[in-house]
Amino acid sequence: MPGIIVGVDGSEHSRRALDWAIREAGLRGTALTVLAVHQVAGNHWTGNPEVYPADQPATEAVRRAAEDQVQKALSEAGEPGPASVTVRAVSGLPAKELVSASSDADLVVLGQRGGGGFARLMMGSVSSQVVAHAASPVVVLPA
């Protein structure tokens, strides 16, 4: 997925990250991939996500919500817009999915904190993991 990847989870932080990524992709004339992750449990021994067929409806709901968020953000962004916009939804562990997607991305964008609580944290666990392990540059938008 060359271009810019932005992680969204429905939070205000990810909405701001999406807005920024849309503008940046437009300025660069590059593709934008919006990645929404239906979070599942990780296997205690391997750390890999435990994904089951029963997760598919939740993943589809996450995809629809992300598409709605993208349409709204694109309508408010103006020109220039991204060369193309793709919305992907997967079941998995958000940090692992974003790090994996970074392997052939030009840039990964995400909010400082996601939908989880823990307001006392300066940076969320997903953003911390992505910054530490991504194969591409990462932009973390502050609160």
Side-chain angles (χ1 to χ4, degrees), residues 86-119:
T86 303
V87 177
R88 271 187 61 221
V90 297
S91 288
L93 302 172
K96 277 190 173 227
E97 295 297 333
L98 286 162
V99 168
S100 176
S102 76
S103 65
D104 62 351
D106 298 322
L107 182 68
V108 174
V109 180
L110 60 160
Q112 185 174 8
R113 288 186 292 127
F118 304 109

Side-chain angles (χ1 to χ4, degrees), residues 1-5 25 29-33 82-86 106:
M1 283 177 270
I4 296 175
I5 296 174
T30 192
L32 176 67
T33 300
S84 65
V85 178
T86 303
D106 298 322

Side-chain angles (χ1 to χ4, degrees), residues 27-99:
L27 291 172
R28 293 182 182 206
T30 192
L32 176 67
T33 300
V34 179
L35 181 59
V37 181
H38 165 246
Q39 185 167 349
V40 298
N43 182 292
H44 178 71
W45 290 280
T46 66
N48 294 326
E50 292 288 330
V51 180
Y52 301 102
D55 291 317
Q56 189 55 36
T59 303
E60 183 60 24
V62 165
R63 184 191 59 75
R64 284 192 308 272
E67 285 178 344
D68 291 345
Q69 188 178 12
V70 167
Q71 287 306 316
K72 182 178 182 204
L74 284 170
S75 69
E76 295 171 356
E79 295 296 327
S84 65
V85 178
T86 303
V87 177
R88 271 187 61 221
V90 297
S91 288
L93 302 172
K96 277 190 173 227
E97 295 297 333
L98 286 162
V99 168

